[in-house]
Amino acid sequence: MSRITLDVDPFDETNLAAPYPMHCRLRDAGPVVFLPRYGVWAMARHQEVYASLTDHESFCSGRGAGLSDFHKEKPWRPPSLLLEADPPDHTVMRGAMGKVLSASTVRGFRQTFKAEADALADELVARGHFDVVTDLAERYPLKVFPDAVGLLPDGRENLLPYGALAFNAFGPHNRLLEQALASAAPVQDWIWNACQRDVLTPGGLGASLWQAADRGEITTEQAPMLVRSLLSAGVDTTVYAIGNTLQALSANPGQWAKLREKPSLARFAFDESLRYESPVQTFFRTTTRPIDVAGVHLPEGEKVLLFLGAANRDPRKWGEDADRMDIARPASGHVAFGMGIHQCVGQPIARLEAELVLTALAERVERLEPTADPASKPNNTLKGWSSVPVRVHPVRFH
Ligand code: OVM
Protein backbone atom coordinates (compact mmCIF):
# COMPACT_ATOMS: atom_id res chain seq x y z
CA MET A 1 0.00 0.00 0.00
CA SER A 2 1.34 3.45 -0.79
CA ARG A 3 2.03 6.13 1.74
CA ILE A 4 -0.73 8.56 2.70
CA THR A 5 0.49 12.08 3.46
CA LEU A 6 -1.35 14.79 5.36
CA ASP A 7 -0.40 18.45 5.41
CA VAL A 8 -1.18 19.30 9.04
CA ASP A 9 0.90 20.85 11.81
CA PRO A 10 -0.08 19.23 15.10
CA PHE A 11 2.13 21.72 16.97
CA ASP A 12 0.54 24.85 15.58
CA GLU A 13 -1.16 26.74 18.40
CA THR A 14 -4.63 26.51 16.88
CA ASN A 15 -4.38 22.73 16.67
CA LEU A 16 -2.88 22.50 20.15
CA ALA A 17 -5.79 24.46 21.62
CA ALA A 18 -8.47 22.58 19.64
CA PRO A 19 -6.98 19.30 18.41
CA TYR A 20 -10.12 17.22 17.95
CA PRO A 21 -11.05 18.12 14.33
CA MET A 22 -7.45 17.40 13.34
CA HIS A 23 -7.56 14.08 15.22
CA CYS A 24 -10.59 13.11 13.19
CA ARG A 25 -8.78 13.91 9.93
CA LEU A 26 -5.72 11.96 11.03
CA ARG A 27 -7.72 8.88 12.04
CA ASP A 28 -9.84 8.95 8.88
CA ALA A 29 -6.83 9.40 6.59
CA GLY A 30 -5.52 5.93 7.50
CA PRO A 31 -3.97 3.71 10.15
CA VAL A 32 -0.62 5.44 9.65
CA VAL A 33 0.02 8.68 7.75
CA PHE A 34 3.13 10.66 6.83
CA LEU A 35 3.44 14.30 7.98
CA PRO A 36 5.79 15.98 5.46
CA ARG A 37 5.94 19.13 7.58
CA TYR A 38 8.15 17.29 10.12
CA GLY A 39 9.17 14.20 8.13
CA VAL A 40 7.51 11.89 10.66
CA TRP A 41 4.79 9.26 10.66
CA ALA A 42 1.63 9.60 12.71
CA MET A 43 -0.86 7.17 14.22
CA ALA A 44 -4.14 8.37 15.70
CA ARG A 45 -6.36 5.26 15.77
CA HIS A 46 -6.60 3.32 19.02
CA GLN A 47 -5.61 0.00 17.48
CA GLU A 48 -2.31 1.17 15.98
CA VAL A 49 -1.39 3.45 18.89
CA TYR A 50 -1.95 0.59 21.33
CA ALA A 51 -0.03 -1.88 19.16
CA SER A 52 2.97 0.48 18.85
CA LEU A 53 3.06 1.27 22.57
CA THR A 54 3.14 -2.45 23.37
CA ASP A 55 5.85 -3.24 20.77
CA HIS A 56 8.92 -1.59 22.28
CA GLU A 57 11.20 -3.87 20.25
CA SER A 58 10.08 -2.22 17.00
CA PHE A 59 9.19 1.23 18.39
CA CYS A 60 11.94 2.30 20.76
CA SER A 61 12.20 5.17 23.24
CA GLY A 62 15.99 5.40 23.49
CA ARG A 63 16.15 7.83 20.56
CA GLY A 64 13.83 10.18 22.46
CA ALA A 65 10.11 10.38 23.18
CA GLY A 66 9.93 13.71 21.32
CA LEU A 67 10.45 14.89 17.74
CA SER A 68 14.21 15.15 18.14
CA ASP A 69 16.14 11.98 17.21
CA PHE A 70 18.91 11.52 19.80
CA HIS A 71 20.97 9.73 17.12
CA LYS A 72 21.03 12.95 15.12
CA GLU A 73 20.69 15.83 17.61
CA LYS A 74 22.07 16.54 21.06
CA PRO A 75 19.26 16.24 23.64
CA TRP A 76 18.35 19.44 25.56
CA ARG A 77 19.22 17.66 28.84
CA PRO A 78 20.82 14.29 29.65
CA PRO A 79 18.11 11.81 28.57
CA SER A 80 15.78 10.37 31.17
CA LEU A 81 16.91 6.91 32.31
CA LEU A 82 13.26 5.83 32.30
CA LEU A 83 11.26 7.59 29.59
CA GLU A 84 14.06 7.81 27.04
CA ALA A 85 15.55 4.35 27.57
CA ASP A 86 15.00 0.81 26.32
CA PRO A 87 15.50 -2.64 27.83
CA PRO A 88 17.68 -3.94 29.34
CA ASP A 89 18.77 -0.62 30.95
CA HIS A 90 15.21 0.62 31.27
CA THR A 91 14.16 -2.56 33.06
CA VAL A 92 16.48 -1.94 36.01
CA MET A 93 15.40 1.71 36.39
CA ARG A 94 11.74 0.80 36.10
CA GLY A 95 12.18 -1.85 38.79
CA ALA A 96 13.73 0.67 41.20
CA MET A 97 11.15 3.37 40.51
CA GLY A 98 8.28 0.89 40.65
CA LYS A 99 9.36 -0.20 44.12
CA VAL A 100 9.58 3.41 45.36
CA LEU A 101 6.13 4.28 43.94
CA SER A 102 4.49 0.99 44.93
CA ALA A 103 0.85 0.72 45.92
CA SER A 104 1.92 0.14 49.53
CA THR A 105 4.09 3.30 49.67
CA VAL A 106 1.27 5.31 48.16
CA ARG A 107 -1.26 3.91 50.65
CA GLY A 108 0.92 5.53 53.29
CA PHE A 109 0.24 8.97 51.76
CA ARG A 110 -3.54 8.69 51.95
CA GLN A 111 -4.08 10.31 55.35
CA THR A 112 -1.98 13.42 54.75
CA PHE A 113 -3.15 13.78 51.14
CA LYS A 114 -6.78 13.51 52.29
CA ALA A 115 -6.37 16.10 55.03
CA GLU A 116 -4.94 18.55 52.46
CA ALA A 117 -7.73 17.85 49.95
CA ASP A 118 -10.44 18.31 52.59
CA ALA A 119 -8.92 21.54 53.91
CA LEU A 120 -8.58 23.00 50.43
CA ALA A 121 -12.13 22.01 49.49
CA ASP A 122 -13.47 23.61 52.70
CA GLU A 123 -11.64 26.84 51.90
CA LEU A 124 -12.75 27.03 48.27
CA VAL A 125 -16.37 26.12 48.95
CA ALA A 126 -16.51 28.79 51.68
CA ARG A 127 -15.23 31.31 49.14
CA GLY A 128 -18.09 30.48 46.78
CA HIS A 129 -16.18 31.00 43.56
CA PHE A 130 -12.67 30.14 42.52
CA ASP A 131 -10.44 29.20 39.61
CA VAL A 132 -10.24 25.43 39.16
CA VAL A 133 -6.72 25.69 37.72
CA THR A 134 -4.88 28.29 39.78
CA ASP A 135 -6.72 27.77 43.09
CA LEU A 136 -6.99 24.00 43.03
CA ALA A 137 -5.37 22.01 40.19
CA GLU A 138 -2.06 23.85 40.67
CA ARG A 139 -2.17 24.30 44.42
CA TYR A 140 -3.01 20.75 45.48
CA PRO A 141 -0.34 18.74 43.62
CA LEU A 142 2.22 21.48 44.29
CA LYS A 143 1.69 20.96 48.01
CA VAL A 144 1.29 17.20 48.42
CA PHE A 145 3.69 15.90 45.77
CA PRO A 146 6.84 17.91 46.64
CA ASP A 147 6.20 17.07 50.31
CA ALA A 148 5.99 13.37 49.39
CA VAL A 149 9.23 13.58 47.38
CA GLY A 150 10.87 15.35 50.33
CA LEU A 151 11.74 18.70 48.75
CA LEU A 152 12.63 21.63 50.98
CA PRO A 153 10.03 24.45 50.99
CA ASP A 154 12.17 26.99 49.09
CA GLY A 155 12.18 27.24 45.30
CA ARG A 156 9.14 25.11 44.56
CA GLU A 157 8.00 27.82 42.12
CA ASN A 158 10.56 26.28 39.74
CA LEU A 159 8.59 23.05 39.37
CA LEU A 160 5.87 24.25 36.97
CA PRO A 161 8.25 26.14 34.65
CA TYR A 162 10.46 23.05 34.53
CA GLY A 163 7.54 20.81 33.63
CA ALA A 164 6.36 23.25 30.97
CA LEU A 165 9.86 23.20 29.51
CA ALA A 166 10.19 19.40 29.61
CA PHE A 167 6.84 18.86 27.89
CA ASN A 168 7.36 21.62 25.31
CA ALA A 169 10.73 20.07 24.51
CA PHE A 170 9.06 16.95 23.06
CA GLY A 171 7.79 19.14 20.21
CA PRO A 172 9.51 21.16 17.46
CA HIS A 173 11.62 24.28 18.02
CA ASN A 174 8.60 26.58 17.79
CA ARG A 175 7.66 29.72 19.70
CA LEU A 176 6.41 27.68 22.68
CA LEU A 177 9.72 25.88 23.13
CA GLU A 178 11.73 29.06 22.55
CA GLN A 179 9.73 30.83 25.25
CA ALA A 180 10.15 27.96 27.69
CA LEU A 181 13.90 27.85 27.02
CA ALA A 182 14.38 31.60 27.38
CA SER A 183 14.71 31.65 31.18
CA ALA A 184 15.39 27.95 31.70
CA ALA A 185 18.99 27.86 32.96
CA PRO A 186 18.32 28.80 36.62
CA VAL A 187 15.27 26.53 36.66
CA GLN A 188 17.33 23.58 35.43
CA ASP A 189 20.07 24.32 37.97
CA TRP A 190 17.53 24.44 40.79
CA ILE A 191 15.96 21.14 39.73
CA TRP A 192 19.29 19.33 39.51
CA ASN A 193 20.28 20.62 42.94
CA ALA A 194 16.95 19.44 44.39
CA CYS A 195 17.78 15.90 43.19
CA GLN A 196 20.87 15.57 45.38
CA ARG A 197 20.92 13.40 48.47
CA ASP A 198 21.83 16.09 51.03
CA VAL A 199 18.79 18.29 50.26
CA LEU A 200 16.13 15.54 50.31
CA THR A 201 14.11 15.03 53.50
CA PRO A 202 14.50 11.58 55.12
CA GLY A 203 11.52 9.31 54.55
CA GLY A 204 10.49 10.86 51.21
CA LEU A 205 10.39 9.32 47.74
CA GLY A 206 13.65 11.05 46.80
CA ALA A 207 15.44 9.59 49.83
CA SER A 208 14.02 6.14 48.95
CA LEU A 209 15.70 6.34 45.54
CA TRP A 210 19.00 7.16 47.22
CA GLN A 211 18.50 4.18 49.54
CA ALA A 212 18.14 1.98 46.47
CA ALA A 213 21.61 3.24 45.52
CA ASP A 214 22.93 2.35 49.02
CA ARG A 215 21.61 -1.19 48.53
CA GLY A 216 23.41 -1.39 45.19
CA GLU A 217 20.21 -1.71 43.17
CA ILE A 218 21.11 1.42 41.17
CA THR A 219 24.26 3.56 41.06
CA THR A 220 24.83 6.89 42.80
CA GLU A 221 24.85 8.50 39.33
CA GLN A 222 21.44 7.02 38.57
CA ALA A 223 19.75 8.01 41.84
CA PRO A 224 19.58 11.79 41.17
CA MET A 225 18.48 11.11 37.59
CA LEU A 226 15.51 9.12 38.88
CA VAL A 227 14.65 11.90 41.34
CA ARG A 228 14.73 14.20 38.29
CA SER A 229 12.18 11.89 36.63
CA LEU A 230 9.86 12.32 39.63
CA LEU A 231 10.13 16.10 39.31
CA SER A 232 9.72 16.05 35.50
CA ALA A 233 6.75 13.72 35.28
CA GLY A 234 4.98 14.15 38.60
CA VAL A 235 3.83 17.76 38.73
CA ASP A 236 2.42 19.21 35.49
CA THR A 237 0.80 15.91 34.54
CA THR A 238 -1.32 15.87 37.71
CA VAL A 239 -2.01 19.61 37.51
CA TYR A 240 -3.39 19.20 33.98
CA ALA A 241 -5.24 16.00 34.87
CA ILE A 242 -7.07 17.52 37.84
CA GLY A 243 -7.77 20.73 35.91
CA ASN A 244 -9.14 18.86 32.89
CA THR A 245 -11.31 16.61 35.05
CA LEU A 246 -12.94 19.50 36.88
CA GLN A 247 -13.31 21.56 33.71
CA ALA A 248 -15.09 18.67 31.99
CA LEU A 249 -17.32 18.04 35.01
CA SER A 250 -18.24 21.72 35.31
CA ALA A 251 -19.12 21.84 31.61
CA ASN A 252 -21.25 18.67 31.97
CA PRO A 253 -23.58 19.22 34.96
CA GLY A 254 -25.29 15.86 34.44
CA GLN A 255 -21.96 14.13 35.00
CA TRP A 256 -21.32 16.16 38.15
CA ALA A 257 -24.76 15.09 39.40
CA LYS A 258 -23.85 11.42 38.90
CA LEU A 259 -20.66 11.90 40.90
CA ARG A 260 -22.56 13.82 43.61
CA GLU A 261 -24.98 10.94 43.98
CA LYS A 262 -22.16 8.48 44.38
CA PRO A 263 -18.76 9.99 45.28
CA SER A 264 -17.24 6.49 45.16
CA LEU A 265 -17.39 6.94 41.36
CA ALA A 266 -14.46 9.39 41.68
CA ARG A 267 -11.89 6.94 40.32
CA PHE A 268 -14.11 6.09 37.33
CA ALA A 269 -14.77 9.77 36.68
CA PHE A 270 -11.02 10.34 36.64
CA ASP A 271 -10.38 7.57 34.10
CA GLU A 272 -13.15 8.88 31.87
CA SER A 273 -11.69 12.40 32.10
CA LEU A 274 -8.28 11.08 31.14
CA ARG A 275 -9.85 9.41 28.14
CA TYR A 276 -12.00 12.41 27.24
CA GLU A 277 -9.30 15.08 27.51
CA SER A 278 -5.91 13.44 27.86
CA PRO A 279 -3.33 15.66 29.60
CA VAL A 280 -0.46 14.05 27.68
CA GLN A 281 -1.63 14.26 24.07
CA THR A 282 1.32 12.77 22.22
CA PHE A 283 4.60 10.92 22.50
CA PHE A 284 7.02 9.80 19.79
CA ARG A 285 8.74 6.49 19.22
CA THR A 286 11.47 5.59 16.69
CA THR A 287 11.39 2.50 14.48
CA THR A 288 14.24 0.08 15.21
CA ARG A 289 13.76 -1.89 11.97
CA PRO A 290 11.81 -1.71 8.72
CA ILE A 291 8.23 -2.53 9.66
CA ASP A 292 4.83 -2.85 7.97
CA VAL A 293 1.93 -1.11 9.68
CA ALA A 294 -1.45 -2.13 8.24
CA GLY A 295 0.23 -2.74 4.89
CA VAL A 296 2.25 0.50 4.87
CA HIS A 297 6.03 0.19 4.87
CA LEU A 298 8.02 2.22 7.42
CA PRO A 299 11.84 2.20 7.15
CA GLU A 300 14.20 1.86 10.14
CA GLY A 301 15.05 5.01 12.12
CA GLU A 302 11.78 6.85 11.49
CA LYS A 303 10.05 8.98 14.09
CA VAL A 304 6.45 7.98 14.77
CA LEU A 305 4.07 10.41 16.48
CA LEU A 306 1.52 8.57 18.62
CA PHE A 307 -1.66 10.54 19.28
CA LEU A 308 -2.75 9.22 22.68
CA GLY A 309 -5.48 11.84 22.91
CA ALA A 310 -6.88 10.86 19.49
CA ALA A 311 -6.76 7.12 20.24
CA ASN A 312 -8.78 7.89 23.35
CA ARG A 313 -11.55 9.40 21.20
CA ASP A 314 -11.43 6.94 18.32
CA PRO A 315 -15.04 5.96 17.47
CA ARG A 316 -13.67 2.64 16.13
CA LYS A 317 -12.81 1.79 19.74
CA TRP A 318 -15.26 3.84 21.84
CA GLY A 319 -18.29 4.03 19.58
CA GLU A 320 -20.05 6.96 17.98
CA ASP A 321 -20.32 8.89 21.26
CA ALA A 322 -16.55 8.85 21.83
CA ASP A 323 -16.59 12.66 22.04
CA ARG A 324 -19.07 12.61 24.92
CA MET A 325 -17.94 12.56 28.52
CA ASP A 326 -19.74 9.83 30.45
CA ILE A 327 -18.36 8.78 33.82
CA ALA A 328 -20.45 5.58 33.66
CA ARG A 329 -18.60 4.46 30.53
CA PRO A 330 -16.01 1.69 30.93
CA ALA A 331 -12.96 3.81 30.08
CA SER A 332 -10.38 1.14 30.80
CA GLY A 333 -8.19 0.55 27.79
CA HIS A 334 -7.54 4.27 27.37
CA VAL A 335 -3.91 5.10 26.66
CA ALA A 336 -3.69 8.37 28.59
CA PHE A 337 -1.09 6.76 30.89
CA GLY A 338 0.51 5.03 27.91
CA MET A 339 0.61 1.23 27.69
CA GLY A 340 3.32 -1.43 27.79
CA ILE A 341 6.68 -1.20 29.55
CA HIS A 342 6.66 2.61 29.75
CA GLN A 343 3.14 2.95 31.11
CA CYS A 344 3.08 5.68 33.77
CA VAL A 345 4.84 4.37 36.89
CA GLY A 346 3.40 7.22 39.00
CA GLN A 347 -0.22 6.26 38.35
CA PRO A 348 -0.93 5.24 41.97
CA ILE A 349 -0.07 8.77 43.17
CA ALA A 350 -1.92 10.51 40.33
CA ARG A 351 -5.01 8.40 41.01
CA LEU A 352 -4.85 9.03 44.75
CA GLU A 353 -4.59 12.81 44.27
CA ALA A 354 -7.49 12.87 41.82
CA GLU A 355 -9.68 10.61 43.93
CA LEU A 356 -9.22 12.72 47.05
CA VAL A 357 -9.81 16.06 45.32
CA LEU A 358 -12.89 14.80 43.48
CA THR A 359 -14.35 13.14 46.56
CA ALA A 360 -13.78 16.19 48.75
CA LEU A 361 -15.59 18.40 46.23
CA ALA A 362 -18.35 15.91 45.45
CA GLU A 363 -19.21 15.75 49.15
CA ARG A 364 -19.42 19.53 49.45
CA VAL A 365 -20.61 20.90 46.11
CA GLU A 366 -24.12 20.53 44.72
CA ARG A 367 -23.33 22.32 41.49
CA LEU A 368 -20.10 23.50 39.82
CA GLU A 369 -21.05 26.32 37.51
CA PRO A 370 -18.66 27.83 34.95
CA THR A 371 -18.69 31.64 35.16
CA ALA A 372 -16.64 32.26 31.99
CA ASP A 373 -15.14 30.28 29.12
CA PRO A 374 -12.04 28.33 30.10
CA ALA A 375 -8.74 29.67 28.71
CA SER A 376 -6.47 27.08 27.14
CA LYS A 377 -2.82 26.74 28.13
CA PRO A 378 -0.64 26.09 25.08
CA ASN A 379 2.01 23.37 25.31
CA ASN A 380 3.57 21.12 22.65
CA THR A 381 2.57 17.97 24.55
CA LEU A 382 0.08 18.80 27.28
CA LYS A 383 -3.58 19.73 26.71
CA GLY A 384 -5.22 21.76 29.41
CA TRP A 385 -6.40 25.09 30.77
CA SER A 386 -4.77 28.13 32.30
CA SER A 387 -8.01 29.37 33.85
CA VAL A 388 -11.38 27.74 34.59
CA PRO A 389 -13.50 30.09 36.73
CA VAL A 390 -16.42 28.49 38.55
CA ARG A 391 -19.08 29.30 41.12
CA VAL A 392 -19.90 26.57 43.63
CA HIS A 393 -23.32 25.87 45.07
CA PRO A 394 -22.55 24.22 48.40
CA VAL A 395 -24.34 21.19 49.75
CA ARG A 396 -26.61 22.39 52.60
CA PHE A 397 -25.67 19.95 55.33
CA HIS A 398 -22.23 18.62 54.71
C1 OVM B 1 11.23 11.52 32.92
C2 OVM B 1 9.86 11.70 32.38
C3 OVM B 1 8.94 10.66 32.37
C4 OVM B 1 7.66 10.84 31.87
C5 OVM B 1 7.30 12.08 31.36
C6 OVM B 1 8.21 13.09 31.38
C7 OVM B 1 8.60 15.39 31.04
C8 OVM B 1 9.49 12.92 31.89
O1 OVM B 1 11.59 10.38 33.25
O2 OVM B 1 11.98 12.50 33.02
O3 OVM B 1 7.82 14.27 30.88
Side-chain angles (χ1 to χ4, degrees):
M1 227 169 81
S2 67
R3 179 177 100 167
I4 299 158
T5 74
L6 211 55
D7 182 26
V8 297
D9 181 359
F11 301 101
D12 137 316
E13 287 186 39
T14 312
N15 284 329
L16 291 172
Y20 303 119
M22 175 191 68
H23 288 172
C24 196
R25 284 183 67 198
L26 283 163
R27 284 188 305 255
D28 287 352
V32 58
V33 300
F34 189 72
L35 307 182
R37 164 105 200 189
Y38 296 110
V40 304
W41 301 82
M43 301 181 192
R45 296 184 188 176
H46 186 276
Q47 187 180 322
E48 282 74 25
V49 168
Y50 191 102
S52 306
L53 289 171
T54 50
D55 181 5
H56 61 270
E57 303 252 5
S58 311
F59 298 93
C60 77
S61 293
R63 291 169 75 164
L67 174 62
S68 172
D69 181 350
F70 294 172
H71 280 194
K72 300 176 182 162
E73 285 180 297
K74 186 177 138 64
W76 69 280
R77 61 172 191 172
S80 163
L81 303 181
L82 269 173
L83 181 74
E84 294 151 343
D86 299 308
D89 302 351
H90 167 269
T91 317
V92 179
M93 298 303 118
R94 174 76 189 209
M97 189 66 106
K99 206 162 133 184
V100 165
L101 295 176
S102 70
S104 85
T105 315
V106 171
R107 265 197 298 278
F109 294 141
R110 179 174 273 274
Q111 276 210 355
T112 46
F113 280 31
K114 179 172 177 351
E116 292 288 345
D118 289 344
L120 188 52
D122 281 337
E123 179 198 321
L124 295 174
V125 172
R127 233 199 266 175
H129 55 91
F130 63 92
D131 191 306
V132 155
V133 176
T134 53
D135 295 325
L136 179 58
E138 289 182 351
R139 257 176 86 193
Y140 182 70
L142 271 176
K143 170 67 182 148
V144 298
F145 186 70
D147 284 355
V149 172
L151 298 189
L152 296 173
D154 277 358
R156 292 179 178 196
E157 66 278 6
N158 288 293
L159 290 166
L160 284 180
Y162 187 71
L165 169 60
F167 282 98
N168 274 319
F170 294 122
H173 251 280
N174 55 12
R175 193 189 68 95
L176 287 169
L177 179 52
E178 289 302 329
Q179 270 182 354
L181 280 169
S183 52
V187 174
Q188 282 184 267
D189 292 347
W190 184 88
I191 291 286
W192 186 240
N193 182 258
C195 296
Q196 307 308 311
R197 157 168 251 163
D198 56 314
V199 297
L200 288 161
T201 311
L205 299 172
S208 301
L209 286 165
W210 278 99
Q211 283 176 333
D214 293 339
R215 292 191 302 266
E217 295 166 15
I218 58 174
T219 69
T220 52
E221 286 75 42
Q222 291 164 339
M225 285 293 284
L226 291 186
V227 181
R228 197 194 70 176
S229 283
L230 289 177
L231 303 184
S232 304
V235 182
D236 291 56
T237 47
T238 50
V239 167
Y240 278 70
I242 293 170
N244 289 3
T245 302
L246 290 171
Q247 191 283 327
L249 288 169
S250 68
N252 293 276
Q255 300 301 312
W256 183 262
K258 280 191 212 176
L259 177 63
R260 271 276 307 134
E261 247 167 66
K262 209 175 158 194
S264 62
L265 290 176
R267 285 193 169 239
F268 297 91
F270 186 52
D271 265 313
E272 171 63 355
S273 301
L274 292 172
R275 182 200 70 79
Y276 176 73
E277 193 128 80
S278 309
V280 177
Q281 285 279 306
T282 48
F283 268 133
F284 287 83
R285 294 290 187 261
T286 312
T287 57
T288 59
R289 59 184 179 90
I291 186 170
D292 281 348
V293 176
V296 181
H297 182 77
L298 276 61
E300 181 277 337
E302 298 282 297
K303 280 281 173 177
V304 183
L305 176 50
L306 303 178
F307 283 87
L308 311 177
N312 286 340
R313 282 175 174 242
D314 183 358
R316 296 159 190 81
K317 162 77 179 173
W318 306 101
E320 282 312 314
D321 69 345
D323 285 325
R324 224 186 62 225
M325 194 217 199
D326 176 6
I327 69 171
R329 173 204 304 272
S332 70
H334 73 69
V335 291
F337 282 123
M339 203 47 77
I341 64 168
H342 289 280
Q343 190 181 36
C344 178
V345 69
Q347 266 181 82
I349 296 201
R351 290 184 183 284
L352 179 66
E353 289 181 28
E355 179 205 325
L356 295 172
V357 165
L358 283 179
T359 310
L361 282 177
E363 288 167 351
R364 291 166 176 78
V365 174
E366 191 72 57
R367 210 146 58 78
L368 250 192
E369 185 191 354
T371 53
D373 286 340
S376 63
K377 180 152 61 187
N379 183 281
N380 282 330
T381 303
L382 299 168
K383 165 95 174 77
W385 312 103
S386 59
S387 170
V388 178
V390 295
R391 176 158 41 236
V392 285
H393 301 259
V395 174
R396 257 174 222 273
F397 305 107
H398 164 245

